Amino acid sequence: MKVNQLSIFLENRSGRLAEVTRILSEADVNIRALSLADTSDFGILRLIVSDFDKAKEKLKEAGFTVGRTSVVAVEVSDAPGGLHNILSMLQDAGINVEYMYAFVRQSGDSAVLIFRFDRTDQGIELLQKNGIATIPGDKLYAM
């Protein structure tokens, strides 16, 4: 139930993000979800893409520093309290959310959130034990 996320280190300067999207576009790799965190000097671009291996290869060829991080995609009820229920469950089990971001769907009654846990396997086990839908990478990449 783990999903491969690309983590790309970027200098915080004009055009660098556009360079990443150009490379992925030319490689016919679709971006399914993204998060960008920055400081004054650099940023970390986190991506869920349609073809992890191809994206990583093409970005490395272009000189980017690229890493792989295992994250978990969770289907959450798109209603008040949906996220709180999951976060409370994780808190009660002592599992820390290192970061998270949303994945946009075209339609449906649920939202998809991408989580990075300090104890990924235990997080997955807890979610599944409590009937929370996790989405495997191959299904997520095709959404």
Side-chain angles (χ1 to χ4, degrees), residues 75-128:
E75 195 165 1
V76 180
S77 173
D78 192 10
L83 175 59
H84 174 71
N85 293 337
I86 291 174
L87 293 176
S88 294
M89 179 188 323
L90 293 165
Q91 177 187 10
D92 291 346
I95 297 172
N96 183 45
V97 176
E98 294 180 353
Y99 59 82
M100 60 177 280
Y101 53 97
F103 174 84
V104 178
R105 294 178 99 164
Q106 294 178 343
S107 65
D109 295 333
S110 61
V112 177
L113 298 174
I114 307 297
F115 285 94
R116 168 72 171 160
F117 302 129
D118 62 346
R119 294 181 293 142
T120 303
D121 291 331
Q122 291 88 346
I124 292 169
E125 183 180 322
L126 177 70
L127 293 168
Q128 291 176 338

Side-chain angles (χ1 to χ4, degrees), residues 7-136:
S7 298
I8 306 156
F9 297 90
L10 301 173
E11 300 88 7
N12 196 351
R13 65 178 170 84
S14 178
R16 200 66 170 148
L17 187 56
E19 189 174 352
V20 169
T21 58
R22 177 190 56 77
I23 291 165
L24 296 178
S25 176
E26 289 174 357
D28 199 31
V29 173
N30 193 20
I31 298 171
R32 304 304 302 148
L34 69 85
S35 171
L36 179 62
D38 71 324
T39 67
S40 59
D41 298 324
F42 70 94
I44 300 174
L45 177 62
R46 296 178 172 114
L47 300 174
I48 306 295
V49 295
S50 60
D51 188 333
F52 176 86
D53 292 329
K54 185 192 289 186
K56 183 176 179 181
E57 174 188 341
K58 295 297 183 182
L59 289 166
K60 281 188 163 238
E61 285 175 3
F64 285 94
T65 301
V66 180
R68 181 190 65 79
T69 306
S70 292
V71 295
V72 181
V74 177
E75 195 165 1
V76 180
S77 173
D78 192 10
L83 175 59
H84 174 71
N85 293 337
I86 291 174
L87 293 176
S88 294
M89 179 188 323
L90 293 165
Q91 177 187 10
D92 291 346
I95 297 172
N96 183 45
V97 176
E98 294 180 353
Y99 59 82
M100 60 177 280
Y101 53 97
F103 174 84
V104 178
R105 294 178 99 164
Q106 294 178 343
S107 65
D109 295 333
S110 61
V112 177
L113 298 174
I114 307 297
F115 285 94
R116 168 72 171 160
F117 302 129
D118 62 346
R119 294 181 293 142
T120 303
D121 291 331
Q122 291 88 346
I124 292 169
E125 183 180 322
L126 177 70
L127 293 168
Q128 291 176 338
K129 182 175 111 182
N130 285 278
I132 305 297
T134 56
I135 303 169

